[in-house]
Structure formats: structure tokens, C-alpha cells
Amino acid sequence: MMNADTVNARERIPDSCCFVIFGVTGDLSHRLVIPALYNLEESGLLPEKFCIIGVTRTETQSKTLKTDLMKGLEKHATRPVKQEIADKLFGCLTSIHADPSDPKSVENLKAQLEKARKDKGVTNHLFYLAVPPGAFKPISEMLGAAGLLKEKDGAWRRLVIEKPFGTDLQSAKQLNADLLKLADEHQIYRIDHYLGKETVQNILVLRFANGMFEPIWNRNHIDHVQITVSETIDVGTRGSFYEQTGALRDMVPNHLFQLMALVAMEPPSRFDAHSVRSEKGEALAAIQTQTEAEALKNSVRGQYLAGRIGDRQVGYYRQTKDVSPDSTVETYAALKLTIDNWRWAGVPFYLRTGKALAAKRTEVAIRFKQAPFSMFRTTEVERLSQNYLVIGIEPTEGIMLQFNTKVPGPQVTIDGVEMKFRYKDYFKASPNTGYETLIYDCMIGDNILFQRADGVEAGWAAVQPFLDAWKKAGGKGLAMYQAGTDGPEEAHELLERDGRRWRAIDGE
């Protein structure tokens, strides 16, 4: 059994830097960013010369901020919190007040960065925007106007931006244009936490480090691909956000398309950020653009009704706080997409995501074509198992291969079996948030796991016809599904008309 921490110990230590967190008092910082920094500190992967500057919109004492973050760490930590590690991490934390609406307040940040340079010799700056999307541009412009994004004298400046990156194709293009006026592409890290998951990263290794898979990874052998991200949680207290976003915007152009790109991309010429991101961008750009009529035909949008999920009662979406009583916003989305290139011509990609579903599951399922069965005439076709390669991402991390074999006995009887690999059975790894790899890569300057401007825009271009078609349709075509099920019946019909069916969400 391999120990992941042993492997991590061989990683290089990042350059000294100031880690500046905008939105340090928010939920994202408490749940993910600070616990990830703690785990990196415990693993010895933070630089010796390191400081955290927490930027708040109101005057907050550093001591008060440390106490608040420590409470958050104890609540959200993925490992037992060791006081000496926490003390070391928070010992380098300072709180400062800065607000884009008050241009003069940026002087507080500049003064603190200058103090870090004089006291610790730290000249590299990483600006992490753990803030709502509307704040991305004003904060970046504040940093740019103050000269804090300009790289000089060998010191680097990096800007980390969370999702959602835009709300449609036009807004994504505009945000890219605005940011690229302030910083170069290599300085911008568009973060998608799905790419921090070990199993997602392993898709590249599975495909390109194993000679048995790449030769059959094409239209000659693959019937179709299913990508599922299902959640049991409902919208909860995020009604206002969800009314502006919906399932499609929230999940498809980022999470699901990142999975799709890793499955569909061509082999990169080398394993570096430019090559990998270029191939991912090409795959997304090759998604067939659909007319609005085609988009309506090849999609399903749904909204959950009241129901039970386990022992929990879930209310009707339209009765959620801050949700319109006649809302047509989707909490479930399913799409049929095709990729116009030599490898994937004629192979449909079926994507689905939704809230308040029967089980939490994220997986990529590659369905291979049926083998000729004429030599097994005595075996009913229904007894022949479908050949699937399933990459499980949540909640079970692993890979499953489903194939046919002979049942013991004097007659040739065939049945399907599964061969499973689970990460936890082979690798000993400390629990983490999924952000550790991404934050570490930001600090060492490796942007292979981050989206590039062209990839972001290609993703939005692919979903724009669906957004436009659904907007024009209004409430017409919105399917309802009961909370605790696997989604609307119309989603099953989307595949059934092609002679296919979804894998069960609540299955193993």
C-alpha cells in the first residue's frame, strides 16, 4: 500500500509568498481554503517564508479574525487539528481592511505587503478571490490600478478566481477581456474544485498511461458516454443565488464540461499546462453547436417537488425562501451533445445534473459497443451485460469494469460481472478538502488544472443555445420530479428514444 503523504514529501516547496484572501470571513474560506492551507502546512508543503493577509470589508482586528478562522477550522477540518500546526499557520495571519468602493483603502494592503517584504523578504503575491462573482472585476481593477498585479524584478503575481466565471457566453468573454487588460493569461488561475479531485486527475493517467485503453477510446468501440453529477442536497438557503443561476449555469459549463474534456481530448504532445489545456479547449470547441429547436429536443430541464430523501423531508423548490412562487428555474438538467471530430463522430455524450435526487453520485461511464453474439445463440440477449468502464468520483473513488463471463456449470451460460478498484483499498492518503492540490499548484505556478480563457468561452458557447431556448420557452417544457427520485421521466425518454438508458443513480 502506497502512502500519498510520502509521495507529497518529495514535492518541491513553493516560493515564498503572501497569500492574500479576499472574502476571508466568508463560507468558502472557512470550509475549504483555510482547511486546505492547514493540510498543506501539516504536510510540509507551505514555504518557510509565508504569510496570510485576510482582506475584510469592515475593520477587523487580526486577533478577532484568527479566533474566527480557528473556530471554522475546528468545524470543517478533514483531519484532527494539531494546535502547533494551527498556531504556525495563523501566526503569520494579518487582517486588513480594503474595499473596491473605497480606492484609498488599497493603501492598507500595499502597506502590509511592503511590511512583509521588509520583515520577511517576501515579494511574491497570490491574490485569492473567495468572493461572489460580481466582485471579481472591481477587486481585480483595484489591484491593477494600485500596480499590485505587475510582475517585476523576478517576483510573480497570481490572481485566483472562483466559479462561476460569467453567466453566459457574452459575460464570460467580457470578464476575460477585462481581466486580460490587467494581467497576462499565465497570471490568471480560474479555479474549478472538481479538478482537484484525485479521480478526476486520474482520467488522464488512465487514458494515456495504459496501452490497453487508448486504442479503443474512439467511435469504433464506444457506443456512448454518460456523465452524472447528482446531489441529494436541495437548494436550501441559496434560493436567491439559484434563481439567478439554475442547474445548467451552476454545473455544466464548468464541472461537467471539465470531465467531458478530459474524456474527449486528444493525447497532448507533452504533459504540460499549455499542451493539456490546448487539447481540452479543442475538445470543447468541437462540441456541435445546436439550433434552438435542436437544443429543446436534446435537453430536459426539471424542477423538484416535495419528497423524502432518506429520513429527510424536502420541500417544493418554489416554496424555498427567496424563490419566486412561479419560478421556471431548473434544478435538474440533462443534455445530449455530440463532438464533431474524427474520434467521436456519431458518439453521443449524455450529461445530467440535479439537486434533491436519490443519491449523491459523480461518475463518468463509458459504454462500449455490444460484441457480436451469434456464437452464443442459446444465451438470451438480455443476459449479456453491457460493457461499461465507470470512473467513480463521488462518493466512491475508483474504477469499475463491467464485462461478461461464463457461469460455472456444464452449459455455456453467460452473465455480467464487475471488477472494481477503489482508491482507499490501495492508497493510504490523509483526508483532504480537494483544494490542496489546486492551491499548491497556484503557489508553484503550475496551471495545468486551471481553465484558460479559450476553454471557458468554448464551454459557454456550447450551452448558450440551451440557455436561449429555455429562456424563450419560459415555463413550457419544464418537467417536474419528486425529491428523492432520479429525476424527471422526460430525462429517461431522452435516452430511450436512442435505444439507451441511464445508469441507476442509486446503484452501487
Side-chain angles (χ1 to χ4, degrees), residues 148-182:
L148 294 176
L149 296 178
K150 185 176 182 181
E151 296 184 319
K152 60 182 180 180
D153 301 327
W156 50 256
R157 302 287 183 268
R158 292 168 190 155
L159 187 65
V160 183
I161 297 179
E162 281 281 344
K163 81 166 187 78
F165 195 93
T167 57
D168 55 19
L169 178 58
Q170 185 56 43
S171 62
K173 283 184 173 181
Q174 187 60 56
L175 182 55
N176 274 327
D178 291 337
L179 293 178
L180 290 170
K181 292 176 184 177
L182 304 169

PDB file of all heavy atoms in Angstrom, residues 148-182:
ATOM      1  N   LEU A 148      -0.502  46.304  -8.229  1.00  0.00           N
ATOM      2  CA  LEU A 148      -0.203  45.086  -7.475  1.00  0.00           C
ATOM      3  C   LEU A 148      -0.217  43.825  -8.334  1.00  0.00           C
ATOM      4  O   LEU A 148       0.142  42.744  -7.848  1.00  0.00           O
ATOM      5  CB  LEU A 148      -1.184  44.933  -6.313  1.00  0.00           C
ATOM      6  CG  LEU A 148      -1.070  45.998  -5.220  1.00  0.00           C
ATOM      7  CD1 LEU A 148      -2.148  45.805  -4.158  1.00  0.00           C
ATOM      8  CD2 LEU A 148       0.317  45.942  -4.573  1.00  0.00           C
ATOM      9  N   LEU A 149      -0.644  43.941  -9.596  1.00  0.00           N
ATOM     10  CA  LEU A 149      -0.620  42.787 -10.495  1.00  0.00           C
ATOM     11  C   LEU A 149       0.560  42.818 -11.450  1.00  0.00           C
ATOM     12  O   LEU A 149       0.736  41.903 -12.257  1.00  0.00           O
ATOM     13  CB  LEU A 149      -1.931  42.713 -11.296  1.00  0.00           C
ATOM     14  CG  LEU A 149      -3.209  42.476 -10.478  1.00  0.00           C
ATOM     15  CD1 LEU A 149      -4.436  42.484 -11.386  1.00  0.00           C
ATOM     16  CD2 LEU A 149      -3.125  41.147  -9.723  1.00  0.00           C
ATOM     17  N   LYS A 150       1.384  43.841 -11.344  1.00  0.00           N
ATOM     18  CA  LYS A 150       2.522  43.974 -12.249  1.00  0.00           C
ATOM     19  C   LYS A 150       3.706  43.152 -11.747  1.00  0.00           C
ATOM     20  O   LYS A 150       4.123  43.272 -10.598  1.00  0.00           O
ATOM     21  CB  LYS A 150       2.927  45.444 -12.362  1.00  0.00           C
ATOM     22  CG  LYS A 150       4.025  45.691 -13.388  1.00  0.00           C
ATOM     23  CD  LYS A 150       4.311  47.177 -13.536  1.00  0.00           C
ATOM     24  CE  LYS A 150       5.376  47.423 -14.588  1.00  0.00           C
ATOM     25  NZ  LYS A 150       5.682  48.871 -14.736  1.00  0.00           N
ATOM     26  N   GLU A 151       4.220  42.282 -12.595  1.00  0.00           N
ATOM     27  CA  GLU A 151       5.368  41.449 -12.246  1.00  0.00           C
ATOM     28  C   GLU A 151       6.661  42.163 -12.625  1.00  0.00           C
ATOM     29  O   GLU A 151       6.816  42.627 -13.754  1.00  0.00           O
ATOM     30  CB  GLU A 151       5.282  40.093 -12.968  1.00  0.00           C
ATOM     31  CG  GLU A 151       4.084  39.273 -12.545  1.00  0.00           C
ATOM     32  CD  GLU A 151       4.050  37.888 -13.172  1.00  0.00           C
ATOM     33  OE1 GLU A 151       4.368  37.790 -14.375  1.00  0.00           O
ATOM     34  OE2 GLU A 151       3.720  36.914 -12.472  1.00  0.00           O
ATOM     35  N   LYS A 152       7.591  42.216 -11.682  1.00  0.00           N
ATOM     36  CA  LYS A 152       8.875  42.855 -11.943  1.00  0.00           C
ATOM     37  C   LYS A 152       9.921  42.315 -10.980  1.00  0.00           C
ATOM     38  O   LYS A 152       9.604  41.745  -9.933  1.00  0.00           O
ATOM     39  CB  LYS A 152       8.762  44.374 -11.797  1.00  0.00           C
ATOM     40  CG  LYS A 152       8.317  44.849 -10.421  1.00  0.00           C
ATOM     41  CD  LYS A 152       8.187  46.368 -10.377  1.00  0.00           C
ATOM     42  CE  LYS A 152       7.744  46.827  -8.995  1.00  0.00           C
ATOM     43  NZ  LYS A 152       7.617  48.306  -8.914  1.00  0.00           N
ATOM     44  N   ASP A 153      11.169  42.459 -11.375  1.00  0.00           N
ATOM     45  CA  ASP A 153      12.314  42.041 -10.544  1.00  0.00           C
ATOM     46  C   ASP A 153      12.228  40.566 -10.139  1.00  0.00           C
ATOM     47  O   ASP A 153      12.628  40.183  -9.035  1.00  0.00           O
ATOM     48  CB  ASP A 153      12.405  42.920  -9.283  1.00  0.00           C
ATOM     49  CG  ASP A 153      12.576  44.398  -9.603  1.00  0.00           C
ATOM     50  OD1 ASP A 153      13.228  44.699 -10.623  1.00  0.00           O
ATOM     51  OD2 ASP A 153      12.054  45.229  -8.861  1.00  0.00           O
ATOM     52  N   GLY A 154      11.677  39.750 -11.026  1.00  0.00           N
ATOM     53  CA  GLY A 154      11.624  38.311 -10.770  1.00  0.00           C
ATOM     54  C   GLY A 154      10.535  37.865  -9.822  1.00  0.00           C
ATOM     55  O   GLY A 154      10.420  36.669  -9.537  1.00  0.00           O
ATOM     56  N   ALA A 155       9.740  38.785  -9.312  1.00  0.00           N
ATOM     57  CA  ALA A 155       8.647  38.432  -8.394  1.00  0.00           C
ATOM     58  C   ALA A 155       7.373  38.173  -9.190  1.00  0.00           C
ATOM     59  O   ALA A 155       7.084  38.876 -10.162  1.00  0.00           O
ATOM     60  CB  ALA A 155       8.418  39.543  -7.387  1.00  0.00           C
ATOM     61  N   TRP A 156       6.601  37.160  -8.778  1.00  0.00           N
ATOM     62  CA  TRP A 156       5.371  36.850  -9.513  1.00  0.00           C
ATOM     63  C   TRP A 156       4.125  37.378  -8.812  1.00  0.00           C
ATOM     64  O   TRP A 156       4.133  37.637  -7.619  1.00  0.00           O
ATOM     65  CB  TRP A 156       5.248  35.349  -9.788  1.00  0.00           C
ATOM     66  CG  TRP A 156       5.442  34.398  -8.636  1.00  0.00           C
ATOM     67  CD1 TRP A 156       6.531  33.637  -8.379  1.00  0.00           C
ATOM     68  CD2 TRP A 156       4.488  34.073  -7.603  1.00  0.00           C
ATOM     69  NE1 TRP A 156       6.331  32.863  -7.261  1.00  0.00           N
ATOM     70  CE2 TRP A 156       5.086  33.096  -6.768  1.00  0.00           C
ATOM     71  CE3 TRP A 156       3.193  34.496  -7.299  1.00  0.00           C
ATOM     72  CZ2 TRP A 156       4.437  32.556  -5.659  1.00  0.00           C
ATOM     73  CZ3 TRP A 156       2.531  33.962  -6.192  1.00  0.00           C
ATOM     74  CH2 TRP A 156       3.163  33.003  -5.391  1.00  0.00           C
ATOM     75  N   ARG A 157       3.087  37.554  -9.613  1.00  0.00           N
ATOM     76  CA  ARG A 157       1.775  37.979  -9.137  1.00  0.00           C
ATOM     77  C   ARG A 157       0.742  37.039  -9.756  1.00  0.00           C
ATOM     78  O   ARG A 157       0.717  36.861 -10.973  1.00  0.00           O
ATOM     79  CB  ARG A 157       1.458  39.421  -9.568  1.00  0.00           C
ATOM     80  CG  ARG A 157       2.479  40.448  -9.095  1.00  0.00           C
ATOM     81  CD  ARG A 157       2.349  40.703  -7.603  1.00  0.00           C
ATOM     82  NE  ARG A 157       3.274  41.734  -7.151  1.00  0.00           N
ATOM     83  CZ  ARG A 157       4.489  41.499  -6.688  1.00  0.00           C
ATOM     84  NH1 ARG A 157       4.950  40.245  -6.621  1.00  0.00           N
ATOM     85  NH2 ARG A 157       5.270  42.484  -6.287  1.00  0.00           N
ATOM     86  N   ARG A 158      -0.124  36.432  -8.928  1.00  0.00           N
ATOM     87  CA  ARG A 158      -1.120  35.491  -9.436  1.00  0.00           C
ATOM     88  C   ARG A 158      -2.505  35.827  -8.890  1.00  0.00           C
ATOM     89  O   ARG A 158      -2.638  36.187  -7.718  1.00  0.00           O
ATOM     90  CB  ARG A 158      -0.722  34.050  -9.094  1.00  0.00           C
ATOM     91  CG  ARG A 158       0.518  33.625  -9.870  1.00  0.00           C
ATOM     92  CD  ARG A 158       1.141  32.351  -9.403  1.00  0.00           C
ATOM     93  NE  ARG A 158       2.450  32.182 -10.067  1.00  0.00           N
ATOM     94  CZ  ARG A 158       3.457  31.472  -9.580  1.00  0.00           C
ATOM     95  NH1 ARG A 158       3.323  30.848  -8.410  1.00  0.00           N
ATOM     96  NH2 ARG A 158       4.587  31.385 -10.241  1.00  0.00           N
ATOM     97  N   LEU A 159      -3.482  35.689  -9.752  1.00  0.00           N
ATOM     98  CA  LEU A 159      -4.862  36.035  -9.423  1.00  0.00           C
ATOM     99  C   LEU A 159      -5.710  34.777  -9.541  1.00  0.00           C
ATOM    100  O   LEU A 159      -5.823  34.184 -10.617  1.00  0.00           O
ATOM    101  CB  LEU A 159      -5.355  37.107 -10.401  1.00  0.00           C
ATOM    102  CG  LEU A 159      -6.715  37.745 -10.153  1.00  0.00           C
ATOM    103  CD1 LEU A 159      -6.708  38.540  -8.849  1.00  0.00           C
ATOM    104  CD2 LEU A 159      -7.081  38.666 -11.326  1.00  0.00           C
ATOM    105  N   VAL A 160      -6.304  34.347  -8.435  1.00  0.00           N
ATOM    106  CA  VAL A 160      -7.106  33.119  -8.397  1.00  0.00           C
ATOM    107  C   VAL A 160      -8.582  33.503  -8.333  1.00  0.00           C
ATOM    108  O   VAL A 160      -9.001  34.229  -7.428  1.00  0.00           O
ATOM    109  CB  VAL A 160      -6.732  32.245  -7.181  1.00  0.00           C
ATOM    110  CG1 VAL A 160      -7.523  30.938  -7.208  1.00  0.00           C
ATOM    111  CG2 VAL A 160      -5.234  31.960  -7.174  1.00  0.00           C
ATOM    112  N   ILE A 161      -9.357  32.988  -9.295  1.00  0.00           N
ATOM    113  CA  ILE A 161     -10.762  33.362  -9.403  1.00  0.00           C
ATOM    114  C   ILE A 161     -11.634  32.116  -9.349  1.00  0.00           C
ATOM    115  O   ILE A 161     -11.410  31.146 -10.069  1.00  0.00           O
ATOM    116  CB  ILE A 161     -11.021  34.137 -10.712  1.00  0.00           C
ATOM    117  CG1 ILE A 161     -10.225  35.451 -10.683  1.00  0.00           C
ATOM    118  CG2 ILE A 161     -12.501  34.416 -10.898  1.00  0.00           C
ATOM    119  CD1 ILE A 161     -10.383  36.272 -11.915  1.00  0.00           C
ATOM    120  N   GLU A 162     -12.627  32.158  -8.491  1.00  0.00           N
ATOM    121  CA  GLU A 162     -13.548  31.036  -8.321  1.00  0.00           C
ATOM    122  C   GLU A 162     -14.619  31.040  -9.415  1.00  0.00           C
ATOM    123  O   GLU A 162     -14.758  32.005 -10.177  1.00  0.00           O
ATOM    124  CB  GLU A 162     -14.229  31.132  -6.938  1.00  0.00           C
ATOM    125  CG  GLU A 162     -13.361  30.645  -5.797  1.00  0.00           C
ATOM    126  CD  GLU A 162     -13.334  29.127  -5.690  1.00  0.00           C
ATOM    127  OE1 GLU A 162     -14.204  28.461  -6.299  1.00  0.00           O
ATOM    128  OE2 GLU A 162     -12.449  28.603  -4.987  1.00  0.00           O
ATOM    129  N   LYS A 163     -15.389  29.969  -9.485  1.00  0.00           N
ATOM    130  CA  LYS A 163     -16.540  29.914 -10.375  1.00  0.00           C
ATOM    131  C   LYS A 163     -17.741  30.548  -9.674  1.00  0.00           C
ATOM    132  O   LYS A 163     -17.703  30.681  -8.434  1.00  0.00           O
ATOM    133  CB  LYS A 163     -16.826  28.464 -10.772  1.00  0.00           C
ATOM    134  CG  LYS A 163     -17.611  27.666  -9.719  1.00  0.00           C
ATOM    135  CD  LYS A 163     -18.149  26.394 -10.300  1.00  0.00           C
ATOM    136  CE  LYS A 163     -19.070  25.692  -9.325  1.00  0.00           C
ATOM    137  NZ  LYS A 163     -20.412  26.260  -9.237  1.00  0.00           N
ATOM    138  N   PRO A 164     -18.793  30.918 -10.393  1.00  0.00           N
ATOM    139  CA  PRO A 164     -18.945  30.807 -11.834  1.00  0.00           C
ATOM    140  C   PRO A 164     -18.228  31.950 -12.560  1.00  0.00           C
ATOM    141  O   PRO A 164     -18.280  33.106 -12.114  1.00  0.00           O
ATOM    142  CB  PRO A 164     -20.450  30.883 -12.041  1.00  0.00           C
ATOM    143  CG  PRO A 164     -20.949  31.688 -10.874  1.00  0.00           C
ATOM    144  CD  PRO A 164     -20.042  31.363  -9.731  1.00  0.00           C
ATOM    145  N   PHE A 165     -17.582  31.608 -13.665  1.00  0.00           N
ATOM    146  CA  PHE A 165     -16.861  32.586 -14.462  1.00  0.00           C
ATOM    147  C   PHE A 165     -17.802  33.045 -15.573  1.00  0.00           C
ATOM    148  O   PHE A 165     -17.844  32.483 -16.664  1.00  0.00           O
ATOM    149  CB  PHE A 165     -15.586  31.965 -15.042  1.00  0.00           C
ATOM    150  CG  PHE A 165     -14.611  32.977 -15.577  1.00  0.00           C
ATOM    151  CD1 PHE A 165     -13.599  33.473 -14.763  1.00  0.00           C
ATOM    152  CD2 PHE A 165     -14.710  33.436 -16.872  1.00  0.00           C
ATOM    153  CE1 PHE A 165     -12.702  34.416 -15.250  1.00  0.00           C
ATOM    154  CE2 PHE A 165     -13.818  34.373 -17.359  1.00  0.00           C
ATOM    155  CZ  PHE A 165     -12.811  34.861 -16.551  1.00  0.00           C
ATOM    156  N   GLY A 166     -18.573  34.078 -15.282  1.00  0.00           N
ATOM    157  CA  GLY A 166     -19.579  34.562 -16.217  1.00  0.00           C
ATOM    158  C   GLY A 166     -20.899  33.846 -16.003  1.00  0.00           C
ATOM    159  O   GLY A 166     -20.988  32.846 -15.290  1.00  0.00           O
ATOM    160  N   THR A 167     -21.951  34.367 -16.645  1.00  0.00           N
ATOM    161  CA  THR A 167     -23.282  33.764 -16.568  1.00  0.00           C
ATOM    162  C   THR A 167     -23.775  33.301 -17.930  1.00  0.00           C
ATOM    163  O   THR A 167     -24.794  32.630 -18.028  1.00  0.00           O
ATOM    164  CB  THR A 167     -24.293  34.772 -15.988  1.00  0.00           C
ATOM    165  OG1 THR A 167     -24.292  35.961 -16.804  1.00  0.00           O
ATOM    166  CG2 THR A 167     -23.918  35.155 -14.558  1.00  0.00           C
ATOM    167  N   ASP A 168     -23.052  33.678 -18.976  1.00  0.00           N
ATOM    168  CA  ASP A 168     -23.345  33.229 -20.336  1.00  0.00           C
ATOM    169  C   ASP A 168     -22.114  33.528 -21.185  1.00  0.00           C
ATOM    170  O   ASP A 168     -21.080  33.979 -20.663  1.00  0.00           O
ATOM    171  CB  ASP A 168     -24.594  33.917 -20.906  1.00  0.00           C
ATOM    172  CG  ASP A 168     -24.520  35.445 -20.852  1.00  0.00           C
ATOM    173  OD1 ASP A 168     -23.407  36.000 -20.712  1.00  0.00           O
ATOM    174  OD2 ASP A 168     -25.578  36.093 -20.963  1.00  0.00           O
ATOM    175  N   LEU A 169     -22.208  33.251 -22.479  1.00  0.00           N
ATOM    176  CA  LEU A 169     -21.038  33.429 -23.342  1.00  0.00           C
ATOM    177  C   LEU A 169     -20.560  34.871 -23.366  1.00  0.00           C
ATOM    178  O   LEU A 169     -19.358  35.144 -23.235  1.00  0.00           O
ATOM    179  CB  LEU A 169     -21.370  32.959 -24.763  1.00  0.00           C
ATOM    180  CG  LEU A 169     -20.257  33.138 -25.802  1.00  0.00           C
ATOM    181  CD1 LEU A 169     -18.985  32.409 -25.387  1.00  0.00           C
ATOM    182  CD2 LEU A 169     -20.738  32.663 -27.175  1.00  0.00           C
ATOM    183  N   GLN A 170     -21.486  35.815 -23.505  1.00  0.00           N
ATOM    184  CA  GLN A 170     -21.087  37.216 -23.611  1.00  0.00           C
ATOM    185  C   GLN A 170     -20.426  37.714 -22.334  1.00  0.00           C
ATOM    186  O   GLN A 170     -19.393  38.399 -22.379  1.00  0.00           O
ATOM    187  CB  GLN A 170     -22.313  38.084 -23.943  1.00  0.00           C
ATOM    188  CG  GLN A 170     -21.979  39.555 -24.183  1.00  0.00           C
ATOM    189  CD  GLN A 170     -20.938  39.764 -25.266  1.00  0.00           C
ATOM    190  OE1 GLN A 170     -20.984  39.121 -26.309  1.00  0.00           O
ATOM    191  NE2 GLN A 170     -19.977  40.645 -25.018  1.00  0.00           N
ATOM    192  N   SER A 171     -20.990  37.389 -21.179  1.00  0.00           N
ATOM    193  CA  SER A 171     -20.415  37.866 -19.915  1.00  0.00           C
ATOM    194  C   SER A 171     -19.065  37.210 -19.644  1.00  0.00           C
ATOM    195  O   SER A 171     -18.155  37.848 -19.091  1.00  0.00           O
ATOM    196  CB  SER A 171     -21.373  37.598 -18.755  1.00  0.00           C
ATOM    197  OG  SER A 171     -21.610  36.210 -18.597  1.00  0.00           O
ATOM    198  N   ALA A 172     -18.887  35.950 -20.051  1.00  0.00           N
ATOM    199  CA  ALA A 172     -17.597  35.287 -19.880  1.00  0.00           C
ATOM    200  C   ALA A 172     -16.535  35.935 -20.758  1.00  0.00           C
ATOM    201  O   ALA A 172     -15.393  36.159 -20.324  1.00  0.00           O
ATOM    202  CB  ALA A 172     -17.719  33.807 -20.209  1.00  0.00           C
ATOM    203  N   LYS A 173     -16.904  36.251 -21.991  1.00  0.00           N
ATOM    204  CA  LYS A 173     -15.961  36.944 -22.892  1.00  0.00           C
ATOM    205  C   LYS A 173     -15.573  38.305 -22.324  1.00  0.00           C
ATOM    206  O   LYS A 173     -14.405  38.700 -22.359  1.00  0.00           O
ATOM    207  CB  LYS A 173     -16.590  37.121 -24.273  1.00  0.00           C
ATOM    208  CG  LYS A 173     -16.613  35.868 -25.128  1.00  0.00           C
ATOM    209  CD  LYS A 173     -17.172  36.186 -26.519  1.00  0.00           C
ATOM    210  CE  LYS A 173     -17.052  34.990 -27.446  1.00  0.00           C
ATOM    211  NZ  LYS A 173     -17.574  35.293 -28.803  1.00  0.00           N
ATOM    212  N   GLN A 174     -16.577  39.013 -21.789  1.00  0.00           N
ATOM    213  CA  GLN A 174     -16.304  40.344 -21.253  1.00  0.00           C
ATOM    214  C   GLN A 174     -15.404  40.276 -20.029  1.00  0.00           C
ATOM    215  O   GLN A 174     -14.466  41.076 -19.887  1.00  0.00           O
ATOM    216  CB  GLN A 174     -17.617  41.047 -20.893  1.00  0.00           C
ATOM    217  CG  GLN A 174     -17.453  42.506 -20.491  1.00  0.00           C
ATOM    218  CD  GLN A 174     -16.838  43.353 -21.585  1.00  0.00           C
ATOM    219  OE1 GLN A 174     -17.365  43.402 -22.704  1.00  0.00           O
ATOM    220  NE2 GLN A 174     -15.718  44.015 -21.286  1.00  0.00           N
ATOM    221  N   LEU A 175     -15.666  39.296 -19.141  1.00  0.00           N
ATOM    222  CA  LEU A 175     -14.834  39.166 -17.950  1.00  0.00           C
ATOM    223  C   LEU A 175     -13.404  38.789 -18.336  1.00  0.00           C
ATOM    224  O   LEU A 175     -12.442  39.324 -17.764  1.00  0.00           O
ATOM    225  CB  LEU A 175     -15.426  38.119 -17.003  1.00  0.00           C
ATOM    226  CG  LEU A 175     -14.688  37.893 -15.684  1.00  0.00           C
ATOM    227  CD1 LEU A 175     -14.514  39.198 -14.912  1.00  0.00           C
ATOM    228  CD2 LEU A 175     -15.421  36.861 -14.827  1.00  0.00           C
ATOM    229  N   ASN A 176     -13.246  37.899 -19.303  1.00  0.00           N
ATOM    230  CA  ASN A 176     -11.901  37.566 -19.787  1.00  0.00           C
ATOM    231  C   ASN A 176     -11.202  38.802 -20.329  1.00  0.00           C
ATOM    232  O   ASN A 176     -10.030  39.050 -20.033  1.00  0.00           O
ATOM    233  CB  ASN A 176     -11.976  36.484 -20.876  1.00  0.00           C
ATOM    234  CG  ASN A 176     -12.001  35.078 -20.322  1.00  0.00           C
ATOM    235  OD1 ASN A 176     -11.396  34.797 -19.297  1.00  0.00           O
ATOM    236  ND2 ASN A 176     -12.706  34.189 -20.997  1.00  0.00           N
ATOM    237  N   ALA A 177     -11.912  39.577 -21.142  1.00  0.00           N
ATOM    238  CA  ALA A 177     -11.322  40.779 -21.728  1.00  0.00           C
ATOM    239  C   ALA A 177     -10.915  41.772 -20.643  1.00  0.00           C
ATOM    240  O   ALA A 177      -9.830  42.368 -20.700  1.00  0.00           O
ATOM    241  CB  ALA A 177     -12.311  41.428 -22.702  1.00  0.00           C
ATOM    242  N   ASP A 178     -11.773  41.937 -19.633  1.00  0.00           N
ATOM    243  CA  ASP A 178     -11.470  42.874 -18.549  1.00  0.00           C
ATOM    244  C   ASP A 178     -10.231  42.433 -17.766  1.00  0.00           C
ATOM    245  O   ASP A 178      -9.358  43.251 -17.445  1.00  0.00           O
ATOM    246  CB  ASP A 178     -12.666  42.981 -17.600  1.00  0.00           C
ATOM    247  CG  ASP A 178     -13.862  43.670 -18.243  1.00  0.00           C
ATOM    248  OD1 ASP A 178     -13.661  44.422 -19.210  1.00  0.00           O
ATOM    249  OD2 ASP A 178     -15.001  43.434 -17.777  1.00  0.00           O
ATOM    250  N   LEU A 179     -10.149  41.140 -17.454  1.00  0.00           N
ATOM    251  CA  LEU A 179      -9.016  40.642 -16.664  1.00  0.00           C
ATOM    252  C   LEU A 179      -7.714  40.688 -17.458  1.00  0.00           C
ATOM    253  O   LEU A 179      -6.652  40.987 -16.897  1.00  0.00           O
ATOM    254  CB  LEU A 179      -9.297  39.214 -16.189  1.00  0.00           C
ATOM    255  CG  LEU A 179     -10.435  39.047 -15.175  1.00  0.00           C
ATOM    256  CD1 LEU A 179     -10.628  37.575 -14.835  1.00  0.00           C
ATOM    257  CD2 LEU A 179     -10.162  39.849 -13.905  1.00  0.00           C
ATOM    258  N   LEU A 180      -7.810  40.388 -18.762  1.00  0.00           N
ATOM    259  CA  LEU A 180      -6.593  40.352 -19.571  1.00  0.00           C
ATOM    260  C   LEU A 180      -6.046  41.749 -19.870  1.00  0.00           C
ATOM    261  O   LEU A 180      -4.940  41.885 -20.379  1.00  0.00           O
ATOM    262  CB  LEU A 180      -6.846  39.582 -20.870  1.00  0.00           C
ATOM    263  CG  LEU A 180      -7.039  38.069 -20.649  1.00  0.00           C
ATOM    264  CD1 LEU A 180      -7.525  37.396 -21.919  1.00  0.00           C
ATOM    265  CD2 LEU A 180      -5.742  37.423 -20.169  1.00  0.00           C
ATOM    266  N   LYS A 181      -6.807  42.768 -19.551  1.00  0.00           N
ATOM    267  CA  LYS A 181      -6.273  44.135 -19.602  1.00  0.00           C
ATOM    268  C   LYS A 181      -5.412  44.426 -18.376  1.00  0.00           C
ATOM    269  O   LYS A 181      -4.591  45.339 -18.396  1.00  0.00           O
ATOM    270  CB  LYS A 181      -7.429  45.148 -19.656  1.00  0.00           C
ATOM    271  CG  LYS A 181      -8.225  45.132 -20.945  1.00  0.00           C
ATOM    272  CD  LYS A 181      -9.398  46.098 -20.858  1.00  0.00           C
ATOM    273  CE  LYS A 181     -10.272  46.037 -22.095  1.00  0.00           C
ATOM    274  NZ  LYS A 181     -11.470  46.936 -21.972  1.00  0.00           N
ATOM    275  N   LEU A 182      -5.641  43.644 -17.319  1.00  0.00           N
ATOM    276  CA  LEU A 182      -4.964  43.891 -16.045  1.00  0.00           C
ATOM    277  C   LEU A 182      -3.798  42.944 -15.792  1.00  0.00           C
ATOM    278  O   LEU A 182      -2.852  43.291 -15.088  1.00  0.00           O
ATOM    279  CB  LEU A 182      -5.971  43.749 -14.894  1.00  0.00           C
ATOM    280  CG  LEU A 182      -7.224  44.636 -14.974  1.00  0.00           C
ATOM    281  CD1 LEU A 182      -8.242  44.194 -13.930  1.00  0.00           C
ATOM    282  CD2 LEU A 182      -6.854  46.100 -14.767  1.00  0.00           C
TER     283      LEU A 182
END
